[in-house]
Amino acid sequence: MSSSSSSQSAHGQAEASSSRAPNRQPAVEDDVSDPEDLLSSDPLDHSLPEQISFKRKQKATAPSSFSFNRFLPSPLGASSPSKSPLPRGPQSRLSQLRTNPGANDSTELILNYLDTPGNAGEQLQDTKDATGLDWYVEGPGRRVGYDDLTAIDWIFEYAKERQRLRYLYSSASGIIGYLKQLADASQIWLILIAAGILSGGIAAFIDVASDWLADLKTGYCSQVDGQGLGGDGHFYLNKGFCCWGYSEYSQCHDWHPWSHALGVKSAGGGWIVEYIFFVLFSILFAACASILVREYSPYARHSGIAEIKTVLGGFVIRRFLGGWTLAIKTLGLCLAVASGLWLGKEGPLVHVACCCANLFMKLFSNVNSNEARKREVLSAAAAAGISVAFGSPIGGVLFSLEQLSYYFPDKTMWQSFVCAMVAAVTLQASNPFRTGKLVLYQVTYHSGWHDFELVPFAFLGILGGLYGGLFIKLNMKVAEWRKTQPLIKGPVMEVVLVAFVTAIVNYPIKFMRAQASELVYILFAECADLTEDTLGLCKAGKANTGVVALLLVSAMLGILLASFTFGLQIPAGIILPSMAIGALYGRAVGLSVQVVQQAWPGLFLFGSCEPDVPCVTPGTYAIIGAASALAGATRMTVSIVVIMFELTGALTYVLPIMIAVMISKWVGDALSPRGIYESWIHFNGYPFLDNRDDNASSIPDVPASQVMTRMDDLILITATGHTISSLRTLLRTHPFRGFPVIDNPRDAILLGYISRTELAFALSSAIAPPRSLPDDTETYFSHQPLADPTTSLDLRPWMDQTPITLNAKASFQLTVSMFQKLGLRYVVFVERGGLRGLLTKKDVWFVLDGVEERDRDSDGYVGGGGMGIGRGVGREQGEGESEERGLLAGETEEEDERGAFR
């Protein structure tokens, strides 16, 4: 082959490839589409009336403010070329450039090759004239799209968006022009408003459906002799609506437990019958949820927040935000929540909201064709998920800012606010609980707190940090054990086993039998607000001793069950289970403090308590415990405080919540440096670089030359000496994501970098009609004045001639900072213009996350292999043909049997 590449040696250099081996790809059980789908069309070919360019047009002379033509330009009036909205052909621009000697020195020459259609050479008639067509000016090259499981180019995407806006505003004049600008600016708002409405409606549906299915485990609703008061005894009503209007459930005649339905009269026999039905329905719901995920949408599993963080960081995961994923996630959440497993719907609702926004983005090509803008919209839509999960619009905005978003400008905060507000208003209008509350566990407190309670509040913070560190370590151990030594083969059987054990444990313990949202509400509420003390939390004096012990036992069992549940192949969140566990031990601490205060009311610590007024409110300890547990697991701070404040409406308790959250985060960070979502990102092997990570001590203080893939280990392409056939063979032989281009093997002067996708598209377009070039056609990557454009192929339009470069002596810390702050895909290292090495985003992630110490199996993203500093890690490697292809990188795939649900 005519490539100047060096063969990789038997060991270190072959291992040093940046994406290692394809056996680290995430296992996806979805349809495999043809890899040529991505190359089937050029999205830049039809996105604008005048093809995309980064050239700066001359500003038009400002018309008089009183000019009527400013609003209604005459169709007969002559206008200057700079004012004309009509597209200019490449030949007219060529004539203008030739008659303007100074044009070559201005930015008017930058990237004009982006103005030509993406046909890989049909318009290249002037290739012998080096000054004629200005694609010889260095630029980032044309783009086809992004492969699955690759990083986007933030710089290119935002430059493309600036060019689109410049064309829109320079060519728009008069009323029609202003209407076009208004329509373009309103697209984002239409997407977010529609996504907020759909998210609120789906959240209301999940609330109603999951409550009905959960109550179905204990009985059913049926009218008896017309005695139903509020619900009239219809089968589709849950227990609360079926018995609407009754002060106690024992008075409700329309609700029929399964023991009564089967005619079992004895108390013991009835308890056993209801126990059996409880276990059977729990297993049935969990198995159905797992089967839906396995058969129709593997990406609907888990909470999705780890993947959303990775996507917002610039990673492409196709089909992760598709309509099919949205449908399965919604149905799966209803079933999974109703099964009684220790999981929640709050985290998955963020995934649901992002799926809603992604569906509506497909209606607007200007937004959907730009990966950077899509991630801004998804950051804003994520706020709607938390808004409907907690009834907390402001908390949702802060959650997106603090936990999810990689890039969050001021405009995105305003967009997040609007989307979260619309979603909350939709949920409020739906009123799924018929209580006027956005969520079931929204409570109100009537009393304040005293100074002596700061000590137990701080103790709750310590407990929250201990819980977070313990849970993360235990959950990761279970995940590793599940992957390396599975007890039961098959995700569905594993879900069935966990559901069976959970149901067996839950039913005898009254605190665990209740649904998580109902349990959290009862633990949060004051006794004065509870119409019926179903869990016995409002007993007085020493009668609370057994309740406290049961609360603590329930919290410990909840930690174990949640550790095994979070990670199963079903939709599952960890936010509500963490809140429930924190509320359990928080209520236990509150009851203990209440017993001590009532036993020794004259103690000097309780001097601030008023006589004949309850001094300690155990429900407040539950909500502070829930906040501390959530902070320990997720390491969020500000958003948790705001969410808890919006849940209670009690500004008085903001300070205790802040203290508990602060202490919990400190303790949790001491035990485990990563939160639960970051731990799963690390476990799944997603190359996510957190741009807010300011811990410079974790970055090795070494030169970048000790980490980069050296030139001897790279597969290089020379500027000349290749044919279409040899380049296609190169692509088949080496599955790397891209190739540096040099002038010749001796000098190795860097000319640019060409991505695998763009090179494959250019070659396939050249051999297809209308050009139909033969396989032995000569190709080149530099200006060839004697080349015949009809019998050769110029690949410069598809090459990034201005890659981000650093000196080979630069420090690795500087390199990491550039990757984090600029969102780069790769950095090329040069010395005096000569290529010295290459470093990709995945390489940096390898070094920072210590992947070289982990021998991952085929379910991971990138392959194992001993990568150590000083070896080099190579380029991004192409994945095998078994990887799935789907949404986020474009719309080039063909419709399959799922049609629009793609």
Side-chain angles (χ1 to χ4, degrees):
M1 182 181 299
S2 55
S3 172
S4 66
S5 79
S6 310
S7 325
Q8 296 177 334
S9 61
H11 293 290
Q13 290 128 353
E15 293 177 354
S17 174
S18 110
S19 9
R20 304 300 172 136
N23 64 348
R24 294 258 323 179
Q25 291 296 335
V28 178
E29 305 173 20
D30 209 334
D31 292 345
V32 178
S33 33
D34 189 351
E36 295 297 329
D37 286 348
L38 183 66
L39 310 179
S40 60
S41 65
D42 179 9
L44 296 183
D45 189 21
H46 53 76
S47 57
L48 291 175
E50 179 179 356
Q51 277 73 29
I52 201 75
S53 169
F54 293 150
K55 301 192 307 174
R56 188 185 302 278
K57 295 184 179 180
Q58 299 294 328
K59 294 183 179 180
T61 305
S64 170
S65 58
F66 298 100
S67 172
F68 185 71
N69 288 338
R70 179 183 178 188
F71 300 98
L72 289 175
S74 171
L76 302 178
S79 59
S80 64
S82 62
K83 297 179 183 179
S84 173
L86 297 177
R88 297 178 299 169
Q91 294 301 323
S92 64
R93 181 176 288 108
L94 175 61
S95 302
Q96 182 184 5
L97 294 175
R98 285 174 171 169
T99 57
N100 183 7
N104 288 336
D105 299 329
S106 69
T107 56
E108 187 71 20
L109 285 177
I110 298 178
L111 305 183
N112 189 43
Y113 53 82
L114 292 179
D115 284 355
T116 60
N119 50 20
E122 184 180 347
Q123 299 271 340
L124 314 184
Q125 286 87 12
D126 253 349
T127 53
K128 293 184 180 181
D129 185 358
T131 61
L133 293 180
D134 46 33
W135 62 33
Y136 304 121
V137 179
E138 293 181 349
R142 294 185 63 87
R143 301 294 166 89
V144 175
Y146 298 102
D147 283 331
D148 192 19
L149 305 174
T150 57
I152 70 168
D153 190 337
W154 290 89
I155 297 177
F156 177 85
E157 296 297 331
Y158 277 116
K160 184 173 69 172
E161 175 63 12
R162 286 194 300 269
Q163 162 61 18
R164 189 189 68 83
L165 292 177
R166 184 169 61 84
Y167 172 80
L168 175 66
Y169 283 86
S170 64
S171 62
S173 59
I175 294 178
I176 301 299
Y178 285 109
L179 290 178
K180 288 182 178 180
Q181 296 174 18
L182 179 62
D184 181 79
S186 63
Q187 290 181 4
I188 294 290
W189 301 108
L190 293 176
I191 293 171
L192 293 176
I193 291 174
I197 293 174
L198 183 57
S199 300
I202 290 177
F205 169 76
I206 292 175
D207 287 335
V208 174
S210 60
D211 283 349
W212 177 71
L213 290 173
D215 288 340
L216 195 62
K217 295 187 298 184
T218 61
Y220 65 96
C221 185
S222 178
Q223 189 174 5
V224 178
D225 299 331
Q227 296 178 4
L229 294 180
D232 294 334
H234 296 295
F235 74 95
Y236 53 80
L237 298 177
N238 60 27
K239 189 174 183 179
F241 287 142
C242 185
C243 300
W244 194 269
Y246 292 102
S247 58
E248 296 182 3
Y249 286 138
S250 59
Q251 301 174 356
C252 180
H253 301 288
D254 288 349
W255 184 256
H256 304 278
W258 292 112
S259 59
H260 293 176
L262 297 179
V264 179
K265 303 297 183 180
S266 65
W271 190 86
I272 294 176
V273 169
E274 293 177 12
Y275 197 170
I276 293 174
F277 272 90
F278 185 90
V279 172
L280 291 179
F281 274 110
S282 297
I283 295 174
L284 175 64
F285 294 154
C288 290
S290 181
I291 292 173
L292 285 175
V293 170
R294 185 192 66 179
E295 297 295 331
Y296 298 102
S297 181
Y299 278 140
R301 65 185 185 272
H302 301 176
S303 69
I305 290 184
E307 287 78 11
I308 289 174
K309 283 175 66 72
T310 307
V311 168
L312 295 184
F315 199 55
V316 175
I317 305 179
R318 294 190 169 195
R319 288 199 179 122
F320 175 69
L321 298 176
W324 198 252
T325 301
L326 173 61
I328 299 304
K329 192 94 173 186
T330 301
L331 296 176
L333 272 179
C334 297
L335 294 167
V337 171
S339 69
L341 289 169
W342 275 77
L343 51 82
K345 62 179 182 296
E346 283 68 18
L349 280 175
V350 176
H351 188 188
V352 167
C354 290
C355 289
C356 295
N358 187 69
L359 289 183
F360 289 113
M361 275 192 287
K362 293 181 179 298
L363 303 177
F364 302 92
S365 59
N366 288 338
V367 179
N368 193 55
S369 61
N370 191 290
E371 295 293 329
R373 292 189 75 196
K374 289 170 72 173
R375 279 152 179 79
E376 289 185 13
V377 175
L378 294 176
S379 296
I386 293 296
S387 175
V388 297
F390 292 102
S392 174
I394 305 301
V397 175
L398 294 177
F399 178 87
S400 178
L401 171 62
E402 182 179 8
Q403 182 67 32
L404 293 179
S405 299
Y406 185 86
Y407 177 63
F408 200 87
D410 292 340
K411 63 178 181 179
T412 304
M413 180 173 290
W414 169 231
Q415 293 165 358
S416 301
F417 177 81
V418 172
C419 189
M421 179 199 65
V422 171
V425 169
T426 303
L427 184 62
Q428 180 73 46
S430 303
N431 195 14
F433 306 109
R434 296 297 184 266
T435 59
K437 298 179 179 179
L438 293 176
V439 290
L440 184 60
Y441 41 87
Q442 192 169 349
V443 296
T444 302
Y445 293 123
H446 310 291
S447 59
W449 56 279
H450 302 83
D451 294 340
F452 72 88
E453 293 181 288
L454 287 176
V455 175
F457 292 158
F459 177 67
L460 288 176
I462 297 175
L463 290 180
L466 293 174
Y467 156 75
L470 173 64
F471 173 78
I472 292 172
K473 289 182 179 296
L474 183 58
N475 186 241
M476 290 296 102
K477 290 292 185 182
V478 171
E480 289 281 359
W481 171 75
R482 179 181 290 130
K483 179 170 290 189
T484 57
Q485 297 176 348
L487 181 62
I488 294 181
K489 293 184 178 180
V492 176
M493 291 304 299
E494 188 176 7
V495 170
V496 168
L497 176 61
V498 175
F500 174 75
V501 174
T502 302
I504 290 292
V505 173
N506 281 355
Y507 190 81
I509 304 176
K510 56 185 176 180
F511 291 121
M512 304 181 70
R513 186 190 312 174
Q515 285 295 107
S517 56
E518 182 182 356
L519 172 63
V520 169
Y521 167 71
I522 295 175
L523 293 172
F524 281 2
E526 292 189 27
C527 289
D529 296 330
L530 292 175
T531 57
E532 187 175 0
D533 185 18
T534 56
L535 300 184
L537 293 173
C538 298
K539 298 177 182 179
K542 296 183 179 180
N544 279 326
T545 305
V547 176
V548 170
L550 196 56
L551 286 170
L552 295 177
V553 170
S554 299
M556 293 302 298
L557 290 174
I559 294 175
L560 292 174
L561 293 175
S563 299
F564 282 88
T565 302
F566 190 66
L568 294 174
Q569 302 299 304
I570 52 174
I574 196 56
I575 294 179
L576 190 59
S578 295
M579 291 178 61
I581 292 169
L584 285 168
Y585 67 69
R587 187 83 182 205
V589 172
L591 290 174
S592 301
V593 174
Q594 184 183 48
V595 169
V596 173
Q597 190 274 331
Q598 291 177 351
W600 296 283
L603 199 63
F604 72 96
L605 290 176
F606 310 129
S608 58
C609 296
E610 300 178 7
D612 301 328
V613 175
C615 183
V616 177
T617 306
T620 61
Y621 288 78
I623 200 166
I624 292 173
S628 69
L630 192 54
T634 64
R635 309 299 158 79
M636 295 186 297
T637 53
V638 179
S639 54
I640 291 179
V641 175
V642 174
I643 287 171
M644 295 302 173
F645 163 66
E646 291 186 274
L647 277 177
T648 62
L651 187 60
T652 309
Y653 286 94
V654 168
L655 181 59
I657 294 173
M658 291 177 65
I659 293 174
V661 167
M662 175 188 66
I663 296 176
S664 176
K665 179 172 172 56
W666 284 345
V667 175
D669 287 339
L671 296 177
S672 173
R674 297 186 182 94
I676 185 63
Y677 301 127
E678 290 77 16
S679 298
W680 273 96
I681 289 175
H682 182 76
F683 178 79
N684 289 327
Y686 299 135
F688 173 74
L689 297 179
D690 194 347
N691 61 341
R692 290 167 292 188
D693 186 6
D694 54 357
N695 185 15
S697 62
S698 63
I699 303 176
D701 187 14
V702 296
S705 58
Q706 294 189 23
V707 182
M708 70 183 183
T709 302
R710 297 180 178 87
M711 186 181 67
D712 294 338
D713 300 325
L714 291 171
I715 303 298
L716 308 176
I717 298 179
T718 52
T720 58
H722 284 282
T723 62
I724 293 179
S725 176
S726 67
L727 289 178
R728 288 169 64 87
T729 304
L730 178 78
L731 292 176
R732 288 194 301 268
T733 307
H734 302 288
F736 301 117
R737 292 292 190 190
F739 308 91
V741 180
I742 58 175
D743 60 343
N744 58 72
R746 183 174 61 86
D747 298 329
I749 300 299
L750 178 68
L751 300 182
Y753 181 92
I754 187 165
S755 173
R756 177 187 191 86
T757 306
E758 278 70 48
L759 179 58
F761 176 80
L763 296 177
S764 61
S765 300
I767 63 178
R771 296 203 71 186
S772 302
L773 294 176
D775 286 343
D776 59 353
T777 300
E778 180 184 359
T779 62
Y780 52 89
F781 294 85
S782 62
H783 175 56
Q784 303 296 318
L786 301 179
D788 185 356
T790 62
T791 59
S792 61
L793 179 61
D794 189 351
L795 292 172
R796 283 174 295 166
W798 305 95
M799 179 178 66
D800 183 359
Q801 300 182 61
T802 58
I804 301 295
T805 60
L806 282 177
N807 188 276
K809 298 179 181 179
S811 68
F812 183 61
Q813 291 183 343
L814 173 63
T815 308
V816 171
S817 179
M818 292 187 66
F819 274 101
Q820 291 176 333
K821 307 304 180 186
L822 299 180
L824 303 179
R825 306 174 75 188
Y826 52 84
V827 169
V828 184
F829 294 92
V830 298
E831 188 173 357
R832 297 182 181 179
L835 176 66
R836 293 295 179 267
L838 179 71
L839 198 61
T840 68
K841 184 176 182 179
K842 296 176 187 176
D843 301 336
V844 176
W845 177 81
F846 265 108
V847 177
L848 296 185
D849 280 20
V851 180
E852 71 277 4
E853 300 175 359
R854 300 161 57 192
D855 186 16
R856 309 281 296 200
D857 59 18
S858 60
D859 290 335
Y861 173 67
V862 280
M867 186 278 294
I869 293 179
R871 285 178 95 93
V873 279
R875 284 134 305 126
E876 297 184 73
Q877 189 174 7
E879 287 76 25
E881 296 301 325
S882 61
E883 70 186 24
E884 76 163 359
R885 313 183 72 83
L887 276 180
L888 266 180
E891 304 304 320
T892 57
E893 62 273 331
E894 298 178 356
E895 293 293 322
D896 59 7
E897 67 272 11
R898 297 186 180 111
F901 287 101
R902 172 75 62 106

